[in-house]
C-alpha cells in the first residue's frame, strides 16, 4: 500500500469510515438494527448475509439513498451527514449497485458524464470525457469503448462502466454490491485484478458476495449480517466457509443431496437445427440440435452472451426461429405462444428475473399466480378465488423461505435474492414436465442455492426434463447428466457428466472443438 | 375540375399556408417533447393553449402591444406548467388523469374570462408577415418561405433549438437520463424533480405561445374552445415523431399540409362533402400513429412518478 495521502486518480484517500449504530426500518421490516460497520483505506471489507439480511440497505444508507432512522457516519473521525448521493459522491464514496444504474439508450461516455460539470459550460464535452475514460481504463485494466451504447454491452462490460463511473467521480471508497454475481469465472478473475489494484493504491473497498470462496480469497475482514443484526466481524485469517455459513444462517447447513442415477426414458424435448436472431438482428443461434429426456438434467455451459438467452426464449415461445423445429412431447410446437406452451406443462426460470420473471409493481401473491391466474384453483369462470390465492402464496413463502413482510408487499421492495426465490417458487410449484432454468441460483445465498439444487434434483427424479443454463461450472457439474457447451450460437459438443472436467469444459467454452 | 384545382397558384397557396398552420403544433409539440423526454406526459396542453390564447388576445387588445400579449401567454402557460409539475412530481398523481383535469380547467377558465371580460368576438390586428427585401418578392419561393410572421419563424427555430439542447448539451443529457432511468440519474446526483419541473414548465410556456400564435398571429380572434383538439394532436405528434424534434416537425408539417389542402378544397368549392374534408387530417393522424408508434420505443420512465428507493 502506498503511503501518499492521494490516490492515482488524484483524489484524497478515505482513511477510515465508520457507520455507528445504524438503524433502518421499512414498513413491517427492520432492515438494519443498530449496525456498526467500518472500512479502512487499502482494505477489502466483505459483507455477508442471507438474502434479505439487510446488506444492500446498509450500503444504500451509506450512499445517501435511504435516510437512517438512527445512527451516525464518521469519516476520518469527523461526523458527516449524507442526505443524498450528491453528498456521498462529494465525500468520495462510490457505489456499484446490485442492479446496475445505467441509462441503456445512452453511450458509455454519456453515462459517465451524466450529472457532471462540463469543461464547455452548457455544452457536453464527451470527447474529453472519453479521453479520461481511456486513462482510467488503462490504470485499472477496465477495457471499454466510450462510444458504445450501454445496451450493446455484455454484463461484464457494463460493470466496468459502473466502476469507471465511480472512479471518474473521484471515489476513494467503493461499495461493490454483489459485483461478481453476474460475471463469468474469467471476468471474476479480471475483476479481482482491478480490485487488488485499487486496494494497493489505497482505496477502501466494501465487497458483498454470496460466494464464500471469493470472499475468503480477496477480503481482509469479513462481517456478517443476519436479520438486520450485525453478528460479528472477523479477520480473514482463520475464517472458513463452514464458520461463515454458520454465522450467516445461525446453524450448520448441509442440505447436500446426491445425484442418484436415474433411468432416462422417453425424449421430451427435441430441437432440430434451430436458428434464431438476437435482438440486434444478428444470428444468435446457428443450427442447434439438442434432445432432452425425461428424468434428465441437460446442462448448457457457456460464457453468457453466446446464445443462451435466445435458446431459452426460442423454447419458451418468446422468440421466433428463423429455421428449425421445436418438438415437445412428440408434437411440433414451433411458433406456439408462451401460453400454449405453459399449458403443455413447460416452465421457465428466466435469467433476467427483474425484467422477464416478475411484475415489479404487483404483489407477491399476484406474481405467484402469473402462470395459472386463469385456472383452478386460482380462478373459476373468470373470477379470482382470492382465498385460494392467499393460501397458496402463504405456502410458497413458507416452503421457499421467502423473506417478505407480507404477501401483499409489492415485489419491487424485496431483496434481490428473495425475488429469485419467488420466481423459483412459481415455476417449480406446478411440477413441470419440462423446465428451462437459466442461471437459477444467481444472487442466491448458499442456503437458498442448496435448496434450489435439491428441488431441481427432486424434479429430475419425478421425471421432469430439465435444461439447466448456467455459467457456474460447479453448478453444472453438480446437477447435470449430460453437458452441452454452447459457443457463438453453436453446440461445441455434448459430453456425459462422468467424462466432464472443468478443464475440458473450459476449453470447449472458449470455442475449442473436440 | 381537378386540373383547374391544381394550378400553380393554388399549390403555392397550399404549401405556404401548410407551413404557417404548423406553427401552433410546433410550439406545443416541441414543448411536450421535452416533458415526455424527461418522463412526464402532459395531456393538459390543450388547456394551456386556450388560456395562453386568451391571455395573448386580451392583453394585446387592451394594451395595443402584441409583445405584451405574447409575454402574457408565456407567463400563463408557465404557471399552468408549474401547476402540472407540482401535481405530477410532488403529489405523484396519475399523469394522464391530471392532464385532463388541467385541460378542463383551461377550457372552462378561458371561456369564463372571455364571457366576463369581452363578451363578444372581436378581432385584433395580429403579427404581420415580415418583409425580407428581395427574398419576399421572389416568385413562388418568396410566397412559400418569406411571407410569414415572426411567430412562424420562431416555431421552426425552436425545433432546432430543441434538437440542439437534447443532443449537444449537458442539460439534454440529464433530461434524457431522467426520462429513461430516473434511478440511475438520481444515483449520480441529478435531481429528477428539478429536471422535470424545468421541462414541464417550459412545455407549459411553449403551449402558451402556441395559443398566442393562434389568437394574435394566425386567426387574430379569440373564441370559446378555439383550439378544438389541436393540443391533443400536438401530443400525438410527439409520439408520431418518436420523441425526436426533427421528426416531430415532419409530423406537424404533414398534418398541416393535409389540413391546408382540405381548407383549399373547401375554398375552391370542390364537390367533396366538407365534413369529409375536415375529417381528413384526423384520419391521417390515426393512420400515421398506428403505423409509426410501434416502431419507436418511448422513454422508459414515461408517466412513471419517481420516488427514491422504490
Ligand atoms: N424499498 C424497500 N421498501 C420496503 N422494504 C424493503 C425495501 N428495500 C429493502 N426492503 C426489505 O429490507 C430487507 C433487507 O433487504 P436488502 O435488500 O438490504 O437485503 P440484502 O441483504 O441485500 O439481500 P440480497 O442478498 O437478496 O440482495 C428485506 O426484507 C427487504 O424486503
Ligand atoms: Mg442486496
Amino acid at each position: 500500500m502506498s503511503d501518499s495521502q492521494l490516490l492515482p486518480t488524484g483524489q484524497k484517500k478515505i482513511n477510515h469510515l465508520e457507520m455507528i449504530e445504524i438503524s433502518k426500518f421499512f414498513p413491517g421490516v427492520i432492515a438494519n438494527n443498530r449496525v456498526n460497520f467500518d472500512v479502512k483505506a487499502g482494505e477489502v471489507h466483505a459483507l455477508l448475509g442471507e438474502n434479505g439480511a439487510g446488506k444492500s440497505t446498509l450500503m444504500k444508507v451509506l450512499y445517501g439513498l435511504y435516510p437512517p432512522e438512527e445512527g451516525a457516519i464518521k469519516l476520518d473521525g469527523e461526523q458527516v451527514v449524507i442526505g443524498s448521493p450528491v453528498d456521498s459522491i462529494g465525500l468520495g464514496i462510490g457505489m456499484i449497485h446490485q442492479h446496475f444504474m445505467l441509462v441503456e439508450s445512452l453511450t458509455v461516455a454519456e453515462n459517465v458524464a451524466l450529472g457532471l460539470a462540463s469543461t464547455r459550460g452548457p455544452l457536453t464535452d464527451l470527447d474529453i470525457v472519453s479521453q479520461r475514460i481511456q486513462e482510467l481504463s488503462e490504470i485499472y485494466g477496465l477495457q471499454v469503448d466510450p462510444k458504445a451504447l450501454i445496451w450493446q454491452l455484455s454484463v461484464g462490460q457494463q460493470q466496468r462502466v459502473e466502476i469507471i463511473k465511480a472512479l471518474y467521480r473521484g471515489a476513494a471508497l467503493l461499495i461493490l454490491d454483489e459485483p461478481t454475481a453476474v460475471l463469468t469465472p474469467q471476468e471474476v478473475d479480471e475483476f479481482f485484478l482491478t480490485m487488488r489494484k485499487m486496494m494497493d493504491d489505497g482505496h477502501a473497498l466494501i465487497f458483498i458476495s454470496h460466494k464464500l470462496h471469493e470472499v475468503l480469497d480477496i477480503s481482509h475482514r469479513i462481517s456478517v449480517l443476519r436479520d438486520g443484526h450485525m453478528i460479528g466481524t472477523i479477520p480473514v485469517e482463520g475464517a472458513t466457509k463452514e464458520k461463515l455459513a454458520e454465522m450467516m444462517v445461525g446453524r450448520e447447513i448441509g442440505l447436500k443431496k446426491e445425484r442418484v442415477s436415474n433411468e432416462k426414458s422417453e425424449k421430451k424435448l427435441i430441437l432440430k437445427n434451430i436458428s434464431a436472431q438476437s435482438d440486434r438482428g444478428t444470428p444468435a443461434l446457428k443450427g442447434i440440435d439438442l434432445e432432452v429426456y425425461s428424468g434428465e438434467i441437460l446442462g448448457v455451459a457457456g460464457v453468457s452472451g453466446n446464445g443462451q438467452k435466445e435458446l431459452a426464449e426460442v423454447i419458451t415461445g418468446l422468440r421466433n426461429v428463423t429455421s428449425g423445429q421445436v418438438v415437445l412431447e412428440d408434437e411440433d410446437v414451433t411458433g406456439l405462444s408462451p401460453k400454449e406452451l405453459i399449458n403443455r406443462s413447460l416452465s421457465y426460470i428466466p435469467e433476467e428475473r427483474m425484467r422477464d420473471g416478475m411484475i415489479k409493481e404487483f404483489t407477491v401473491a399476484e406474481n405467484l399466480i402469473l402462470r395459472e391466474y386463469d385456472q383452478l384453483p386460482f380462478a373459476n369462470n373468470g373470477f379470482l378465488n382470492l382465498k385460494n390465492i392467499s393460501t397458496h402464496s402463504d405456502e410458497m413463502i413458507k416452503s421457499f423461505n421467502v423473506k417478505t413482510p407480507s404477501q401483499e408487499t409489492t415485489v419491487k421492495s424485496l431483496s434481490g435474492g428473495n425475488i429469485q426465490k419467488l420466481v423459483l417458487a412459481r415455476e417449480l410449484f406446478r411440477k413441470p414436465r419440462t423446465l428451462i432454468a437459466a442461471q437459477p441460483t444467481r444472487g442466491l445465498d448458499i442456503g437458498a442455492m442448496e435448496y434450489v439444487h435439491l428441488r431441481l434434483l427432486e424434479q429430475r427424479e419425478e421425471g421432469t426434463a430439465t435444461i439447466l443454463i448456467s455459467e457456474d461450472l460447479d453448478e453444472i457439474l453438480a446437477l447435470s447428466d449430460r453437458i452441452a457447451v454452447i459457443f457463438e450460437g453453436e453446440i461445441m459438443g455434448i459430453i456425459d457428466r462422468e467424462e466432464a472436467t472443468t478443464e475440458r469444459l473450459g476449453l470447449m467454452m472458449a470455442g475449442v472443438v473436440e | 375540375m381537378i386540373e383547374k384545382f391544381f394550378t400553380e397558384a393554388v399549390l403555392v397557396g397550399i404549401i405556404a399556408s401548410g407551413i404557417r398552420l404548423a406553427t401552433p403544433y410546433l410550439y406545443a409539440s416541441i414543448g411536450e417533447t421535452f416533458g415526455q423526454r424527461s418522463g412526464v406526459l402532459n395531456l393538459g396542453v390543450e388547456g394551456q393553449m386556450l388560456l395562453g390564447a386568451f391571455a395573448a388576445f386580451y392583453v394585446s387588445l387592451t394594451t395595443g402591444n402584441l409583445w405584451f400579449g405574447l409575454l402574457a401567454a408565456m407567463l400563463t402557460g408557465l404557471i399552468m406548467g408549474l401547476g402540472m409539475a407540482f401535481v405530477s412530481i410532488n403529489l405523484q398523481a396519475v399523469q394522464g388523469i391530471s392532464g385532463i383535469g388541467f385541460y378542463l380547467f383551461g377550457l372552462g377558465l378561458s371561456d369564463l374570462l372571455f364571457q366576463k371580460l369581452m363578451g363578444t368576438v372581436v378581432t385584433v390586428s395580429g403579427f404581420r408577415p415580415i418583409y425580407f427585401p428581395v427574398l419576399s418578392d421572389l416568385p413562388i419561393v418568396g410566397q412559400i418561405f418569406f411571407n410569414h410572421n415572426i411567430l412562424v419563424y420562431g416555431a421552426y427555430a425552436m425545433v432546432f433549438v430543441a434538437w440542439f439542447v437534447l443532443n449537444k448539451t449537458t442539460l439534454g443529457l440529464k433530461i434524457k437520463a431522467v426520462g429513461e432511468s430516473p434511478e440511475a440519474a438520481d444515483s449520480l446526483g441529478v435531481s429528477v424533480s428539478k429536471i422535470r419541473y424545468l421541462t414541464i414548465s417550459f412545455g407549459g410556456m411553449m403551449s402558451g405561445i402556441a395559443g398566442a400564435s393562434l389568437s394574435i398571429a394566425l386567426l387574430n380572434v379569440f373564441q370559446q374552445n378555439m383550439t378544438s383538439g389541436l393540443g391533443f394532436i400536438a401530443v400525438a405528434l410527439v409520439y408520431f415523431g418518436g420523441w425526436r424534434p426533427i421528426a416531430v416537425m415532419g409530423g406537424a408539417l404533414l398534418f398541416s399540409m393535409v389540413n391546408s389542402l382540405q381548407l383549399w378544397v373547401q375554398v375552391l368549392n370542390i364537390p367533396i362533402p366538407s365534413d369529409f374534408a375536415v375529417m381528413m387530417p384526423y384520419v391521417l393522424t390515426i393512420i400515421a400513429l398506428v403505423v409509426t408508434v410501434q416502431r419507436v420505443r418511448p422513454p422508459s420512465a414515461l408517466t412513471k412518478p419517481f420516488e427514491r428507493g422504490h
Side-chain angles (χ1 to χ4, degrees):
Chain A
M1 181 175 138
S2 64
D3 290 327
S4 146
Q5 275 308 300
L6 291 183
L7 298 164
T9 52
Q11 179 75 13
K12 220 176 132 283
K13 283 182 190 168
I14 292 181
N15 287 314
H16 195 197
L17 181 127
E18 298 160 274
M19 301 182 78
I20 301 158
E21 300 277 305
I22 300 282
S23 292
K24 176 68 202 167
F25 309 145
F26 291 114
V29 191
I30 301 179
N32 292 149
N33 196 342
R34 318 195 101 199
V35 173
N36 290 304
F37 185 80
D38 75 308
V39 62
K40 300 184 182 115
E43 85 163 343
V44 177
H45 191 161
L47 185 57
L48 290 182
E50 285 185 282
N51 296 131
K55 306 179 294 293
S56 297
T57 304
L58 186 67
M59 293 303 114
K60 284 181 184 167
V61 167
L62 178 56
Y63 193 59
L65 287 169
Y66 294 148
E69 259 69 38
E70 54 174 349
I73 298 176
K74 280 192 185 171
L75 201 147
D76 291 339
E78 266 178 62
Q79 186 156 342
V80 289
V81 177
I82 302 179
S84 76
V86 182
D87 298 338
S88 56
I89 293 170
L91 291 171
I93 299 172
M95 179 160 180
I96 315 300
H97 294 264
Q98 190 168 1
H99 303 282
F100 291 160
M101 295 283 189
L102 293 169
V103 186
E104 301 231 320
S105 57
L106 298 183
T107 65
V108 170
E110 285 174 324
N111 269 279
V112 172
L114 180 60
L116 289 175
S118 156
T119 53
R120 298 205 187 102
L123 301 187
T124 49
D125 56 350
L126 294 174
D127 49 335
I128 297 177
V129 173
S130 304
Q131 230 168 33
R132 176 86 178 125
I133 292 176
Q134 303 276 11
E135 286 168 23
L136 288 173
S137 321
E138 267 156 45
I139 302 182
Y140 291 104
L142 298 160
Q143 283 330 307
V144 64
D145 172 13
K147 288 205 185 64
L149 290 164
I150 297 297
W151 63 264
Q152 296 174 325
L153 300 182
S154 73
V155 186
Q157 290 169 319
Q158 292 188 7
Q159 181 161 67
R160 284 179 221 156
V161 180
E162 286 281 34
I163 297 173
I164 289 175
K165 236 168 68 180
L167 291 174
Y168 198 101
R169 284 166 171 72
L173 184 156
L174 263 182
I175 304 164
L176 304 158
D177 194 351
E178 297 196 32
T180 54
V182 290
L183 298 186
T184 62
Q186 285 94 327
E187 284 174 325
V188 171
D189 291 342
E190 283 168 34
F191 177 73
F192 276 7
L193 285 180
T194 305
M195 266 181 88
R196 290 216 160 84
K197 168 84 175 107
M198 292 197 283
M199 184 175 97
D200 291 341
D201 290 341
H203 283 90
L205 302 173
I206 302 174
F207 177 58
I208 300 179
S209 172
H210 290 294
K211 296 178 187 158
L212 299 181
H213 63 94
E214 291 179 357
V215 168
L216 290 171
D217 182 11
I218 197 139
S219 325
H220 296 95
R221 288 188 295 156
I222 303 165
S223 287
V224 177
L225 274 176
R226 191 199 307 155
D227 287 334
H229 291 271
M230 181 56 79
I231 298 301
T233 302
I234 56 171
V236 73
E237 295 82 23
T240 60
K241 280 190 191 182
E242 290 69 30
K243 168 118 175 83
L244 293 175
E246 204 194 312
M247 283 174 80
M248 278 164 66
V249 211
R251 62 184 153 79
E252 278 180 60
I253 53 163
L255 278 167
K256 265 222 163 27
K257 182 174 165 68
E258 282 306 306
R259 215 166 47 89
V260 294
S261 63
N262 207 7
E263 266 317 298
K264 58 181 187 186
S265 39
E266 84 263 38
K267 280 184 199 167
K268 262 266 143 62
L269 176 68
I270 306 169
L271 304 187
K272 286 186 196 155
N273 200 18
I274 293 281
S275 294
Q277 289 189 334
S278 72
D279 290 342
R280 294 159 220 174
T282 52
L285 298 178
K286 307 164 192 161
I288 297 266
D289 286 300
L290 279 180
E291 294 175 346
V292 196
Y293 293 82
S294 66
E296 169 187 64
I297 295 180
L298 174 72
V300 175
V303 176
S304 86
N306 274 295
Q308 291 95 323
K309 174 168 164 257
E310 288 81 5
L311 179 67
E313 289 182 349
V314 159
I315 303 172
T316 51
L318 294 165
R319 182 176 297 267
N320 290 329
V321 297
T322 43
S323 70
Q325 220 185 6
V326 184
V327 179
L328 181 66
E329 300 180 342
D330 300 326
E331 181 193 4
D332 183 356
V333 296
T334 326
L336 288 195
S337 73
K339 180 85 201 165
E340 288 166 300
L341 291 164
I342 289 167
N343 292 341
R344 286 166 175 75
S345 193
L346 176 81
S347 264
Y348 176 37
I349 299 167
E351 177 176 348
E352 295 253 1
R353 59 194 175 216
M354 290 292 254
R355 201 189 63 204
D356 303 332
M358 288 273 136
I359 302 180
K360 282 194 280 183
E361 276 76 23
F362 278 23
T363 66
V364 168
E366 286 164 342
N367 269 294
L368 279 171
I369 57 157
L370 279 186
R371 284 224 187 267
E372 283 146 333
Y373 62 92
D374 59 345
Q375 292 163 22
L376 285 170
F378 306 132
N380 199 357
N381 300 323
F383 290 96
L384 290 176
N385 186 331
L386 297 178
K387 196 158 150 275
N388 288 351
I389 293 174
S390 163
T391 329
H392 170 71
S393 45
D394 277 341
E395 276 167 22
M396 290 294 109
I397 289 170
K398 202 155 150 262
S399 59
F400 280 79
N401 192 17
V402 182
K403 284 220 177 73
T404 169
S406 76
Q407 47 164 283
E408 300 304 323
T409 308
T410 49
V411 158
K412 66 182 172 189
S413 64
L414 297 191
S415 83
N418 280 299
I419 294 175
Q420 179 72 347
K421 287 187 191 173
L422 281 181
V423 176
L424 287 158
R426 184 183 67 215
E427 300 302 323
L428 294 183
F429 139 79
R430 38 187 223 129
K431 306 219 181 307
R433 292 198 295 272
T434 315
L435 172 67
I436 314 299
Q439 318 286 1
T441 57
R442 177 180 280 177
L444 289 190
D445 62 50
I446 33 172
M449 186 166 114
E450 304 269 294
Y451 182 69
V452 169
H453 286 178
L454 182 81
R455 292 300 298 256
L456 289 178
L457 289 174
E458 269 173 22
Q459 289 298 132
R460 169 178 171 273
E461 277 163 40
E462 287 180 23
T464 302
T466 303
I467 292 189
L468 169 70
I469 299 174
S470 178
E471 280 179 317
D472 182 347
L473 286 185
D474 294 336
E475 177 167 275
I476 292 266
L477 289 168
L479 301 179
S480 316
D481 296 282
R482 289 182 304 142
I483 301 165
V485 178
I486 190 167
F487 176 74
E488 294 190 342
E490 288 177 70
I491 298 292
M492 303 307 292
I494 302 177
I495 48 183
D496 280 338
R497 162 69 187 88
E498 283 65 35
E499 290 152 28
T501 59
T502 318
E503 291 70 38
R504 196 167 164 205
L505 291 175
L507 278 178
M508 289 168 77
M509 280 164 71
V512 180
V513 204
E514 298 243 311
Chain B
M1 192 73 217
I2 290 296
E3 307 82 72
K4 219 167 56 202
F5 178 58
F6 282 114
T7 61
E8 184 184 294
V10 169
L11 274 178
V12 169
I14 290 175
I15 297 175
S17 57
I19 288 179
R20 190 159 38 237
L21 286 175
T23 306
Y25 298 106
L26 286 176
Y27 282 115
S29 54
I30 290 298
E32 178 75 10
T33 301
F34 275 98
Q36 294 202 10
R37 260 322 207 9
S38 74
V40 183
L41 170 71
N42 176 13
L43 277 185
V45 173
E46 176 100 353
Q48 296 172 335
M49 284 179 69
L50 277 168
L51 274 177
F54 177 79
F57 188 82
Y58 185 69
V59 171
S60 301
L61 191 70
T62 46
T63 65
N65 188 327
L66 292 169
W67 293 103
F68 286 166
L70 182 64
L71 202 65
M74 289 167 72
L75 274 177
T76 311
L78 187 72
I79 293 169
M80 288 281 281
L82 284 171
M84 178 70 196
F86 179 75
V87 168
S88 44
I89 297 161
N90 299 70
L91 305 183
Q92 311 242 331
V94 178
Q95 290 164 13
I97 305 296
S98 52
I100 290 180
F102 274 92
Y103 156 59
L104 292 172
F105 173 77
L107 175 68
L109 185 63
S110 61
D111 186 34
L112 178 74
L113 291 172
F114 170 68
Q115 305 287 353
K116 288 284 168 215
L117 297 174
M118 287 161 47
T120 55
V121 175
V122 287
T123 58
V124 291
S125 121
F127 284 104
R128 322 231 94 242
I130 301 175
Y131 178 75
F132 299 89
V134 187
L135 293 175
S136 297
D137 298 326
L138 292 174
I140 303 181
V141 176
Q143 228 212 316
I144 292 180
F145 294 112
F146 300 106
N147 195 18
H148 300 294
N149 66 64
I150 180 86
L151 288 191
V152 177
Y153 295 114
Y156 289 92
M158 283 316 291
V159 174
F160 293 96
V161 170
W163 173 84
F164 186 80
V165 170
L166 283 175
N167 292 301
K168 298 286 170 195
T169 67
T170 53
L171 177 65
L173 194 57
K174 288 187 207 172
I175 292 173
K176 288 186 283 189
V178 162
E180 286 292 338
S181 173
E183 295 79 17
D186 180 58
S187 77
L188 293 179
V190 175
S191 167
V192 175
S193 33
K194 246 190 233 160
I195 295 291
R196 288 186 173 170
Y197 254 96
L198 189 75
T199 56
I200 302 308
S201 41
F202 174 76
M205 195 184 78
M206 292 283 278
S207 301
I209 304 177
S213 74
L214 283 173
S215 68
I216 60 173
L218 295 178
L219 307 175
N220 301 331
V221 293
F222 183 84
Q223 283 174 337
Q224 185 208 20
N225 194 20
M226 71 184 293
T227 49
S228 58
L230 199 152
F232 288 101
I233 301 282
V235 176
L237 287 173
V238 176
Y239 280 79
F240 173 81
W243 296 269
R244 292 178 309 247
I246 309 290
V248 168
M249 174 175 79
L253 271 173
L254 177 69
F255 186 77
S256 41
M257 286 293 169
V258 178
N259 213 351
S260 159
L261 176 74
Q262 169 273 120
L263 290 172
W264 280 85
V265 164
Q266 293 190 53
V267 168
L268 296 179
N269 246 328
I270 296 191
I272 298 176
S274 74
D275 293 335
F276 184 77
V278 174
M279 204 175 73
M280 275 193 330
Y282 298 94
V283 171
L284 184 85
T285 316
I286 293 174
I287 294 174
L289 275 176
V290 170
V291 175
T292 55
V293 161
Q294 293 142 348
R295 181 172 47 91
V296 203
R297 199 180 51 82
S300 311
L302 187 58
T303 75
K304 297 197 184 100
F306 172 72
E307 206 184 336
R308 184 176 286 165
H310 281 268

